[in-house]
Amino acid sequence: MNPFTDSICHSELVLERGKQSIDLLFEMKRFIPVFVQEGRVPPTQLWETCSLPLITSLAKQSANAAPVVRSPAATNLQRLLLGQQVVVPKVEKQVDDIFDGILFPLLESLTDPEQGARSMLDTCTLASVLLCKAFMHYEVNDTAREQDLRPRWVRVLDLLERTLKLDRRHLGVSPHPQSPSFLPSFYHL
């Protein structure tokens, strides 16, 4: 028995189980539309007990240190949030939960230098794209026109700026360029 090879085999098994759990989590999405259609469970309870835990689990695994777990989790999170499988009609706080409880904390953890943000740059970029797409998907529509989107939009921009700074540090570029042509001048106040 070689402890080194046993350790490697154990690690590979753990990672394989992690990948399988991500696939299993993603497949659980198919039950939510069935529950919505049956109407036996109140919409708020369905959101809080089915959809939200599913999305939250995938978001937490999207910040996993192991790329073989992190990458499929982030991809499946994007597919869930931009699809219609986990959205429960007539639940008002869904959008707040998605942004304040899932996407903002995910991006904050991915851009945290103490969490090894450089090694997760690919996932951080994917999460930034997801944040923008989710904002357009959930906030830029007819029902959202009555709400003030500025606070959430400012937070989105702040997180995108953190991602750009992280990307520049990773590439060895100064985070404060002399002539930032990619952002309006009022943004750097």
Side-chain angles (χ1 to χ4, degrees), residues 95-96 99-100 104 139 149-156:
V95 175
D96 293 336
F99 284 98
D100 299 333
F104 291 151
E139 296 288 27
L149 302 179
R150 287 177 291 184
R152 185 163 287 148
W153 179 240
V154 168
R155 192 152 179 212
V156 167

Side-chain angles (χ1 to χ4, degrees), residues 81-110:
L81 287 178
L82 299 179
Q84 295 298 318
Q85 297 97 343
V86 295
V87 176
V88 180
K90 301 177 186 167
V91 177
E92 292 181 19
K93 64 179 195 144
Q94 283 180 108
V95 175
D96 293 336
D97 288 344
I98 288 170
F99 284 98
D100 299 333
I102 296 168
L103 291 175
F104 291 151
L106 173 62
L107 258 157
E108 286 168 358
S109 71
L110 288 173

Side-chain angles (χ1 to χ4, degrees), residues 9-174:
C9 289
H10 178 70
S11 296
E12 288 174 4
L13 287 173
V14 168
L15 292 176
E16 185 58 35
R17 277 191 304 227
K19 283 175 37 180
Q20 289 173 351
S21 68
I22 297 302
D23 294 339
L24 192 65
L25 277 170
F26 184 69
E27 287 305 313
M28 291 178 71
K29 75 180 182 324
R30 66 186 169 152
F31 296 108
I32 295 169
V34 173
F35 293 147
V36 168
Q37 196 172 34
E38 288 177 354
R40 292 186 202 165
V41 181
T44 302
Q45 183 181 357
L46 185 59
W47 170 252
E48 292 173 351
T49 59
C50 293
S51 295
L52 188 57
L54 175 61
I55 299 167
T56 303
S57 298
L58 285 172
K60 287 184 190 268
Q61 292 305 314
S62 295
N64 190 304
V68 296
V69 174
R70 181 177 67 239
S71 183
T75 301
N76 286 336
L77 177 65
Q78 179 170 328
R79 290 168 64 192
L80 279 180
L81 287 178
L82 299 179
Q84 295 298 318
Q85 297 97 343
V86 295
V87 176
V88 180
K90 301 177 186 167
V91 177
E92 292 181 19
K93 64 179 195 144
Q94 283 180 108
V95 175
D96 293 336
D97 288 344
I98 288 170
F99 284 98
D100 299 333
I102 296 168
L103 291 175
F104 291 151
L106 173 62
L107 258 157
E108 286 168 358
S109 71
L110 288 173
T111 57
D112 184 1
E114 293 177 13
Q115 299 290 330
R118 285 188 181 186
S119 64
M120 298 187 195
L121 191 58
D122 58 332
T123 308
C124 190
T125 303
L126 179 68
S128 297
V129 170
L130 173 57
L131 179 63
C132 293
K133 286 180 176 181
F135 186 85
M136 296 299 290
H137 184 73
Y138 291 105
E139 296 288 27
V140 182
N141 56 44
D142 292 334
T143 58
R145 289 179 194 228
E146 302 164 1
Q147 302 169 357
D148 184 11
L149 302 179
R150 287 177 291 184
R152 185 163 287 148
W153 179 240
V154 168
R155 192 152 179 212
V156 167
L157 291 175
D158 287 343
L159 286 168
L160 292 175
E161 182 180 38
R162 282 174 64 177
T163 304
L164 285 172
K165 287 180 180 179
L166 176 70
D167 190 25
R168 288 169 177 245
R169 280 194 303 265
H170 179 69
L171 296 173
V173 179
S174 169

